[in-house]
Amino acid sequence: MPEQQIPKWTEIEHLPEWDEEFYDVYTAKKYGKWLMLKTLKPEYRDNPVFKDMLEKEFDVRYNLAHPNIVMINDFEEVPGLGMCIITDDVYGDSLRKLLDSGKVDKDILNKVIHQLVEAMEYIQVNHIVHHPLTPERIIFTENIHNLKVIDVGFDQKNCLSAADTSEDIYNFGVILGLLLDALGEEDTHLRQVAKKCVNIDPKKRYRDIQDLKLALDNRNNNKLYIIIIVFLSIMIIILAWLNSSHSPKGISEGEVSDAQVEQKDIDL
């Protein structure tokens, strides 16, 4: 009797709360493994412009590899849905839902401060043009609450502008402020970081993601430069002393000869 084959696609379920302006999002099983599907809304599926847009997003995101960014696995036709971007299963709650339901905690705050910033830096380094960072686009997976940024990247440039970086920093500040408010957190340092991120004057925000990371760690580039300068100064002094006549290696040849004669006398 032949073995019964597992159907390719099963348990396809629409997730309305995940939908985007032009896309519908589904959860489904492919050969028994949970995945997520992103596809054009029915009214856009036959439009060449939107079809190209979906395919370009796949091309941009396919090679991204970061633990806090949703990974894309494939781009294929799914019965009843058309062409779909296939991603890892990241079913869980958005940061927006956690905020609205009062379920945020210090662990969520810590992951936003570290993991979200790491994902932002990765996006910047790879010059990925992306939608604004919002609580709706930050997912904490079910059970273990891994942070995942979704809907990342629809184009790639040779270089992102300073304005792109500043916008990310601003949006991070908004998110950080919302979290601090929800937690009733009075951490003065984090409040100051959030305030600087959302300064109405972009020139008064952090210059780049690296500056933001240093600020979150309660450090800054000036302190780092001072430490480096002090360290180098000490090393120069040590090297100068080792090459001077006062160092252990600074004994003259005559002194060495006298010492050798004295040692021979002792041996005799």
Side-chain angles (χ1 to χ4, degrees), residues 17-28:
E17 68 274 17
W18 288 54
D19 286 351
E20 301 166 23
E21 184 177 2
F22 304 112
Y23 303 112
D24 285 338
V25 178
Y26 294 79
T27 183

Side-chain angles (χ1 to χ4, degrees), residues 233-247:
S233 299
I234 293 172
M235 291 302 297
I236 290 170
I237 293 170
I238 292 173
L239 289 172
W241 178 75
L242 289 174
N243 291 316
S244 72
S245 59
H246 299 291
S247 72

Side-chain angles (χ1 to χ4, degrees), residues 148-170:
K148 297 284 186 177
V149 182
I150 64 171
D151 196 21
V152 175
F154 56 86
D155 200 357
Q156 191 168 21
K157 295 181 178 179
N158 292 328
C159 184
L160 293 181
S161 68
D164 293 323
T165 301
S166 186
E167 182 183 11
D168 277 352
I169 289 171
Y170 177 88

Side-chain angles (χ1 to χ4, degrees), residues 179-217:
L179 269 172
L180 294 174
D181 289 344
L183 290 169
E185 182 62 60
E186 297 300 331
D187 187 306
T188 304
H189 172 64
L190 289 179
R191 289 282 182 185
Q192 289 175 343
V193 171
K195 184 177 179 180
K196 185 168 182 177
C197 286
V198 299
N199 195 297
I200 193 170
D201 183 357
K203 294 180 180 179
K204 294 182 180 179
R205 299 172 195 162
Y206 297 103
R207 291 177 299 174
D208 51 34
I209 305 299
Q210 186 61 34
D211 266 359
L212 174 60
K213 289 173 69 175
L214 289 170
L216 289 167
D217 290 338

